[in-house]
């Protein structure tokens, strides 16, 4: 039997085979990549649509509820009518341990040879009675009627803040009342405990129960 000899491939045949193999896998990879990118694009489009519908509220009924995300935040205002501002004097300062000696001495309240550090500021308007206003909206936590030291109103506010108004007469609010910023609380008066201050308002600000200098909030 005569064996058939296979003819060796010509250079042109080898070139065609090599070229075919060279482009086959890159073409497969490109096709897979295109499909993968298409899937990602479609997924993102679905997510963006769902997010937009959730934000717009088109998928869920809100029963007419409108949520204001940019509601203004109150800041502390003067506890008196601003028309008195030119006549206002701080006659006794908040006691600051870092203040100079003169300011610390001015912030000491004296009664019957007993000293007490001032945890607020004593405000006078020409030594005359004036209406005392709520510095912020809040809830009346306590009302004290004391003819010796003068009446006191304590109001709690958001963020752990409390404002205290002392040396009052004619108090017009009661415990539990919701008061608006600028609402009249009573009238500044003199008292027997701190007679050297004359007619004044002792105004205090606390944050989480700790007294702070009201000047830092009022901008005096």
């Amino acid at each position: 039997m005569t064996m058939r000899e296979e003819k060796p491939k010509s250079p042109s045949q080898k070139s065609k085979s090599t070229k075919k193999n060279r482009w086959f896998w890159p073409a497969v990879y490109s096709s897979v990549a295109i499909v993968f990118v298409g899937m990602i694009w479609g997924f993102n489009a679905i997510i963006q649509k769902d997010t937009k519908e959730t934000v717009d509220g088109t998928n869920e009924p809100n029963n007419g509820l409108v949520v204001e995300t940019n509601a203004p935040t109150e800041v502390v205002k003067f506890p008196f009518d601003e028309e008195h501002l030119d006549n206002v004097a701080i006659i006794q300062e908040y006691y600051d341990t870092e203040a100079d000696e003169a300011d610390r001495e001015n912030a000491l309240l004296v009664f019957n040879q007993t000293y007490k550090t001032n945890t607020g500021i004593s405000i006078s308007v020409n030594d005359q009675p004036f209406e005392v206003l709520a510095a912020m909206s809040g809830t009346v936590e306590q009302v004290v009627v004391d003819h010796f030291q003068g009446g006191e109103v304590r109001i709690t506010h958001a963020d752990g803040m409390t404002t205290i108004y002392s040396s009052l007469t004619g108090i017009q609010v009661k415990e539990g009342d919701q008061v608006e910023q600028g609402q009249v609380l009573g009238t500044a008066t003199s008292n027997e405990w701190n007679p050297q201050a004359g007619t004044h308002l002792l105004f205090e600000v606390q944050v989480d129960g700790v007294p702070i200098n009201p000047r830092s909030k009022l901008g005096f």
Side-chain angles (χ1 to χ4, degrees):
M1 177 182 292
T2 304
M3 300 286 294
R4 288 184 62 185
E5 293 183 359
E6 291 186 4
K7 295 182 180 180
K9 293 183 179 180
S10 66
S12 62
Q13 289 176 323
K14 290 181 179 180
S15 175
K16 290 180 180 179
S17 176
T18 302
K19 184 179 294 187
K20 180 178 180 182
N21 290 335
R22 182 188 304 164
W23 290 103
F24 176 77
W25 289 112
V28 171
Y29 294 148
S30 298
S31 299
V32 172
I34 291 172
V35 172
F36 185 72
V37 171
M39 291 173 64
I40 293 177
W41 181 88
F43 180 77
N44 287 339
I46 293 173
I47 292 297
Q48 290 176 357
K49 180 180 178 181
D50 289 344
T51 302
K52 182 177 185 301
E53 289 179 348
T54 301
V55 171
D56 291 342
T58 54
N59 283 346
E60 301 267 341
N62 60 8
N63 298 322
L65 178 64
V66 177
V67 178
E68 295 187 18
T69 57
N70 296 319
T73 302
E74 277 188 352
V75 296
V76 179
K77 289 190 174 181
F78 297 119
F80 51 81
D81 194 315
E82 289 192 15
E83 69 178 13
H84 298 311
L85 192 56
D86 291 338
N87 299 314
V88 165
I90 305 301
I91 55 176
Q92 291 168 322
E93 294 284 353
Y94 170 84
Y95 188 86
D96 185 349
T97 57
E98 298 182 359
D100 59 37
E101 184 177 355
D103 287 340
R104 292 200 307 272
E105 184 176 349
N106 177 255
L108 290 174
L109 307 182
V110 184
F111 175 75
N112 197 20
Q113 297 182 340
T114 300
Y115 291 87
K116 176 185 176 183
T117 56
N118 196 1
T119 53
I121 54 176
S122 300
I123 302 172
S124 174
V125 179
N126 292 333
D127 198 24
Q128 297 297 313
F130 61 91
E131 287 187 333
V132 175
L133 313 180
M136 296 179 67
S137 301
T139 303
V140 178
E141 179 185 32
Q142 186 178 41
V143 173
V144 176
V145 177
D146 187 328
H147 298 292
F148 181 67
Q149 291 188 334
E152 178 181 292
V153 174
R154 180 184 293 261
I155 301 177
T156 57
H157 313 279
D159 302 325
M161 184 176 291
T162 301
T163 53
I164 305 169
Y165 313 76
S166 303
S167 191
L168 300 182
T169 187
I171 295 175
Q172 299 184 26
V173 295
K174 62 183 184 300
E175 294 178 7
D177 282 355
Q178 299 292 319
V179 297
E180 299 293 328
Q181 188 175 54
Q183 182 174 332
V184 177
L185 305 177
T187 303
T189 188
S190 58
N191 63 71
E192 296 180 37
W193 189 89
N194 189 13
Q196 66 269 29
T199 299
H200 72 286
L201 163 70
L202 175 58
F203 179 62
E204 302 174 68
V205 178
Q206 296 180 355
V207 177
D208 296 329
V210 178
I212 65 171
N213 191 342
R215 281 182 177 270
S216 66
K217 296 292 185 181
L218 296 177
F220 275 109

